[in-house]
Amino acid sequence: MNPLGTASVAALRQYVRYADAKSIAVAPMFTLAGLKPGILDSDEGRIEGEQLQAFIHALAEHTDNPVLGLETGDYVQPGSYSVLGYITMSCATLGEAVTRIAPYEKLVGDMGTTRLKMKGESASLIWTCNFTDPVVWPQVVDNVFASWINYARWLADSDEASPLCVRLCRASPGGVHEKAYHDRWGCPVEFGSDENSVTFSQSLLATRLRQPDPLLRKTLEAHALSQLALLDTDTDLTSQVKQSIQKQLADGITRQDMVAEDLGMTSRTLQRKLSQEGVSYQKLLDEVRQQMAEDYLLNTGMGIPDIALRLGYSETTSFHRKFKAATGQTPGDFRRQ
């Protein structure tokens, strides 16, 4: 098993947006990291944690930028956090959003873990990085904190909200570059600390957010829990098969031979390997279809016949029957709820 786990394509895409803005060609870095360019076409795809680490390493070496992580944090979007981003968008207060990070951050990736600590009138988010590459982990920590702060300001619709202080385990990047942290975060930054933490006033937690929607949040959290359950049970092979199925379904294709070819094996070999793990191609196809169906119904305005076609069903009635068997509801009822 990969000790660095997996990461969502959304996490990778934030770094790619930075590279595009700087006119940096990422194709050679994808090759070095063992990534296929087509992976960016899938919003639900995942990559190996080691691949993300290798890509960031290549980007850091190419740019020779000691504050790469800080600057890539400028390119955060709600989608950068996968479904967690949309959960936090639907929260009523910043505090409600903050408490959603730890339970669902695995959906973004296995890059690290978060815990919240309250003390007096302040609160701290402490992040432990799982990446081990000495070139990469300081940039990943910088990216996580810069992204959090930028995203929190966007959620609260306030460019003025700032932490009380930020503590970083990494060494100082040098006096000239330290100014970039202060300019962005507007607070003292301590380098060479014993932890990576962002400390802020508890009063900020009461800040009202711009788009509260408790019913949507509840639905998104139920979906997030189902995604977490899949991550907990997937092997490396089943994860790869599901990612390939998602990519094929973008064109309404459900062919096992094309998935096998995408993974560099024959259809018979794929069938044998899945059988050894106690799972079938059809079962994985059904799981991916169901997950994508729920996403389309909740997060798009696509008509139900169009969703059925996109998911490779020859008839809308087949989609209705399969969806109701899985959820006990018709697609229309699920969307209305």
Side-chain angles (χ1 to χ4, degrees):
M1 186 64 71
N2 181 354
L4 297 183
T6 62
S8 68
V9 169
L12 170 67
R13 192 176 283 126
Q14 184 176 347
Y15 289 93
V16 173
R17 278 198 298 272
Y18 165 86
D20 289 345
K22 303 294 182 182
S23 300
I24 299 170
V26 298
M29 300 174 199
F30 269 46
T31 300
L32 284 171
L35 291 166
K36 297 180 180 180
I39 191 65
L40 293 175
D41 298 335
S42 169
D43 289 333
E44 295 289 342
R46 295 185 77 81
I47 62 175
E48 298 297 321
E50 290 175 349
Q51 291 178 307
L52 179 59
Q53 180 170 254
F55 174 80
I56 298 172
H57 184 113
L59 184 61
E61 287 198 334
H62 177 86
T63 60
D64 193 27
N65 180 1
V67 291
L68 171 69
L70 186 67
E71 293 183 2
T72 54
D74 294 340
Y75 294 84
V76 67
Q77 296 177 352
S80 301
Y81 297 117
S82 188
V83 69
L84 172 58
Y86 301 108
I87 289 173
T88 54
M89 280 177 63
S90 62
C91 288
T93 66
L94 191 57
E96 197 173 80
V98 164
T99 61
R100 265 52 185 184
I101 296 174
Y104 301 117
E105 66 183 332
K106 186 178 177 68
L107 294 175
V108 184
D110 295 306
M111 290 83 76
T113 53
T114 305
R115 61 186 177 94
L116 178 64
K117 182 172 73 175
M118 302 288 193
K119 185 177 180 180
E121 296 182 354
S122 67
S124 296
L125 282 169
I126 302 164
W127 197 67
T128 303
C129 184
N130 291 336
F131 282 10
T132 54
D133 185 327
V135 173
V136 173
W137 72 258
Q139 307 303 339
V140 172
V141 174
D142 284 358
N143 170 272
V144 167
F145 285 3
S147 299
W148 278 355
I149 293 168
N150 285 333
Y151 187 55
R153 286 170 172 168
W154 179 82
L155 281 176
D157 199 16
S158 170
D159 293 332
E160 304 301 320
S162 292
L164 297 174
C165 68
V166 176
R167 303 174 70 200
L168 300 171
C169 295
R170 65 164 295 169
S172 167
V176 174
H177 294 294
E178 280 190 17
K179 185 175 183 296
Y181 293 83
H182 298 290
D183 288 347
R184 280 175 170 78
W185 297 345
C187 70
V189 180
E190 176 188 325
F191 296 94
S193 175
D194 58 352
E195 68 178 15
N196 298 303
S197 63
V198 179
T199 300
F200 48 93
S201 171
Q202 284 198 35
S203 61
L204 273 179
L205 298 177
T207 304
R208 304 291 297 179
L209 302 189
R210 58 170 78 192
Q211 298 173 345
D213 190 333
L215 290 178
L216 176 60
R217 192 200 73 221
K218 184 177 179 180
T219 301
L220 289 172
E221 288 188 338
H223 176 56
L225 288 172
S226 68
Q227 286 189 313
L228 284 173
L230 289 176
L231 287 178
D232 288 340
T233 58
D234 281 355
T235 65
D236 287 343
L237 177 62
T238 57
S239 292
Q240 291 172 17
V241 171
K242 285 183 176 183
Q243 290 171 22
S244 183
I245 289 173
Q246 287 175 338
K247 186 165 58 176
Q248 304 286 356
L249 283 177
D251 298 317
I253 300 171
T254 62
R255 288 171 48 185
Q256 179 177 330
D257 61 322
M258 293 184 67
V259 170
E261 182 181 353
D262 185 43
L263 299 180
M265 64 184 77
T266 66
S267 183
R268 179 172 292 183
T269 300
L270 175 61
Q271 186 174 341
R272 175 174 55 80
K273 288 187 173 183
L274 289 176
S275 179
Q276 289 172 348
E277 297 192 4
V279 70
S280 68
Y281 176 81
Q282 185 61 50
K283 181 175 185 295
L284 297 181
L285 174 61
D286 288 344
E287 289 178 1
V288 174
R289 273 176 158 173
Q290 184 62 31
Q291 176 186 322
M292 293 179 70
E294 293 178 8
D295 283 342
Y296 287 141
L297 290 167
L298 290 174
N299 302 317
T300 77
M302 289 175 62
I304 290 175
D306 293 330
I307 293 174
L309 185 64
R310 175 69 65 88
L311 296 178
Y313 289 98
S314 57
E315 297 180 354
T316 305
T317 52
S318 299
F319 171 52
H320 272 262
R321 185 166 56 251
K322 201 80 170 180
F323 192 92
K324 188 169 184 179
T327 65
Q329 298 175 293
T330 66
D333 288 341
F334 181 85
R335 172 173 268 172
R336 281 189 290 275
Q337 282 196 354

